[in-house]
């Protein structure tokens, strides 16, 4: 069977558990990126099987249903937060004459395909984002300059990762594809802004070394149980922070409520929100 970059495939040896995209082929080995999970893997071509058109359709329908469900949960949560903001800013009077200043977001992604998906969701949620496609290995060198230029409130540092038993035990950073670079990128970001509430950082991908990323200075990270995380989870974490008042703290359970992965794949520390609300709203000048 002939394979080309971009084909959707599964691995026979793993009982076709995850749908991957082929990102590159070298001799008889393919580098694979999860289609909706932030996982990187490699596999011999003879272990791969193409996803049929019928299975593609079923897979995409199921994925859309899952994403739409999470989005509905977020919208319900957002509506409750909105009602509380209106009440607080108007001292109990129900009026819509107010304006709000949500967080500025910088999103670094090691996958161009995922970055596009995330930006679409940011727009759907109503957040402005500066998205940058940067290979995980280049993130530590690039992030400081981007933070100084964009001056974000929230930074997302993500892409692909994976843990390999062959490379070492779970406490060894060398056993992970990209955790080392996520850690270094977080440290570089903290050299620019050390305050955990002035600059909130999410970092990590599938199976990433959660403890090292948090110790480096991230507010939220993956993956406590070394499981795979969904491509869109960083967006839902960012949205919760962006639409929570700067007067309120966001607990970890609050942040994870609308994610697709949950507490086994994501964790962090309690952090203040960023939204500032004011009134009256005078319209565009």
């Amino acid at each position: 069977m002939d394979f080309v970059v971009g084909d959707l495939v599964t691995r026979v040896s793993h009982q076709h558990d995850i749908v991957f995209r082929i990102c590159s082929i070298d001799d008889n080995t393919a580098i694979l990126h999860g289609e909706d999970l932030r996982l990187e893997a490699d596999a011999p071509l003879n272990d791969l099987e193409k996803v049929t058109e019928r299975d593609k359709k079923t897979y995409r329908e199921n994925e859309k249903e899952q994403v739409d469900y999470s989005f509905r949960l977020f919208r319900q949560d957002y509506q409750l937060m909105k009602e509380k903001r209106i009440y607080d800013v108007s001292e109990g009077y129900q009026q819509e004459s107010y304006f709000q200043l949500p967080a500025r977001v910088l999103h670094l992604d090691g996958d161009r395909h995922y970055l596009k998906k995330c930006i679409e969701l940011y727009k759907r949620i109503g957040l402005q984002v500066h998205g940058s496609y940067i290979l995980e290995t280049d993130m530590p060198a690039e992030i400081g300059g981007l933070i100084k230029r964009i001056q974000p409130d929230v930074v997302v540092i993500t892409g692909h990762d994976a843990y390999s038993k062959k490379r070492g035990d779970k406490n060894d950073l060398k056993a992970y594809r990209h955790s080392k670079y996520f850690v270094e990128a977080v440290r570089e970001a903290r050299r620019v802004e050390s305050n955990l509430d002035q600059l909130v950082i999410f970092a990590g991908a599938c199976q990433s070394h959660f403890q090292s990323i948090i110790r480096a200075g991230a507010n939220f990270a993956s993956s406590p149980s070394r499981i795979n995380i969904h491509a869109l989870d960083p967006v839902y974490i960012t949205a919760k922070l962006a639409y929570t008042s700067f007067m309120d703290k966001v607990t970890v359970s609050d942040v994870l409520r609308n994610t697709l992965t949950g507490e086994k794949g994501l964790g962090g520390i309690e952090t203040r929100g960023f939204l500032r609300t004011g009134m009256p709203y005078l319209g565009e000048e």
Side-chain angles (χ1 to χ4, degrees):
M1 183 180 293
D2 293 329
F3 295 98
V4 297
V5 171
D7 280 346
L8 292 186
V9 297
T10 56
R11 295 175 296 180
V12 177
S13 62
H14 287 69
Q15 291 75 51
H16 310 283
D17 58 343
I18 296 172
V19 175
F20 289 94
R21 274 179 295 118
I22 295 179
C23 291
S24 65
I25 298 174
D26 184 11
D27 292 329
N28 291 314
T29 301
I31 300 298
L32 309 172
H33 286 175
E35 178 66 0
D36 290 291
L37 298 173
R38 290 187 172 275
L39 179 68
E40 182 172 298
D42 55 64
L45 294 181
N46 60 15
D47 188 37
L48 300 181
E49 187 174 296
K50 287 185 181 181
V51 178
T52 66
E53 289 302 317
R54 171 190 261 182
D55 287 343
K56 280 183 192 177
K57 182 179 178 182
T58 301
Y59 170 79
R60 284 171 177 153
E61 286 174 351
N62 291 338
E63 179 62 22
K64 184 178 184 302
E65 183 179 341
Q66 186 182 23
V67 170
D68 286 347
Y69 176 71
S70 248
F71 182 74
R72 286 195 302 272
L73 289 179
F74 170 78
R75 291 299 300 178
Q76 291 171 8
D77 199 20
Y78 171 78
Q79 188 60 36
L80 291 173
M81 290 189 291
K82 180 179 178 182
E83 291 170 3
K84 181 179 183 298
R85 287 197 303 273
I86 294 172
Y87 184 89
D88 289 345
V89 77
S90 62
E91 296 182 344
Y93 292 98
Q94 292 298 314
Q95 51 179 294
E96 296 287 342
S97 181
Y98 72 97
F99 62 92
Q100 58 187 31
L101 302 173
R104 296 184 299 275
V105 181
L106 170 63
H107 183 120
L108 279 61
D109 209 312
D111 188 301
R112 197 188 303 273
H113 174 70
Y114 283 177
L115 180 60
K116 181 180 177 183
K117 279 187 172 186
C118 286
I119 288 176
E120 288 172 355
L121 183 56
Y122 281 118
K123 289 179 179 177
R124 190 178 178 189
I125 285 171
L127 288 176
Q128 290 188 337
V129 59
H130 180 96
S132 292
Y133 164 60
I134 302 175
L135 293 177
E136 293 87 349
T137 52
D138 296 333
M139 287 178 178
E142 299 285 340
I143 192 168
L146 281 169
I147 291 173
K148 291 174 183 176
R149 180 162 61 88
I150 305 302
Q151 296 188 330
D153 301 302
V154 181
V155 175
V156 174
I157 305 166
T158 189
H160 292 280
D161 207 354
Y163 164 69
S164 173
K165 290 181 180 178
K166 296 177 182 177
R167 298 182 183 180
D169 64 37
K170 288 187 176 181
N171 294 318
D172 186 353
L173 269 181
K174 294 178 182 178
Y176 297 80
R177 285 180 185 265
H178 293 138
S179 288
K180 168 186 168 184
Y181 304 108
F182 294 141
V183 168
E184 290 175 0
V186 171
R187 285 179 180 151
E188 290 300 321
R190 285 293 172 222
R191 287 192 174 97
V192 179
E193 176 52 72
S194 61
N195 190 305
L196 294 173
D197 287 319
Q198 293 298 316
L199 180 68
V200 172
I201 300 173
F202 170 89
C206 281
Q207 302 177 14
S208 291
H209 196 283
F210 171 80
Q211 293 89 334
S212 291
I213 296 172
I214 290 292
R215 283 197 296 266
N219 299 68
F220 301 96
S222 60
S223 165
S225 297
R226 305 301 190 265
I227 67 169
N228 300 329
I229 70 166
H230 194 276
L232 301 177
D233 279 334
V235 180
Y236 284 116
I237 288 177
T238 301
K240 180 66 177 179
L241 293 162
Y243 285 119
T244 297
S245 169
F246 78 102
M247 299 291 288
D248 299 329
K249 69 179 180 182
V250 183
T251 66
V252 178
S253 58
D254 286 337
V255 167
L256 301 186
R257 187 178 299 129
N258 300 322
T259 62
L260 291 149
T261 303
E263 65 182 16
K264 288 188 176 180
L266 303 159
I269 59 174
E270 61 181 14
T271 302
R272 286 201 173 276
F274 277 102
L275 186 71
R276 292 180 181 268
T277 304
M279 62 182 299
Y281 176 70
L282 301 178
E284 300 295 332
E285 294 186 357

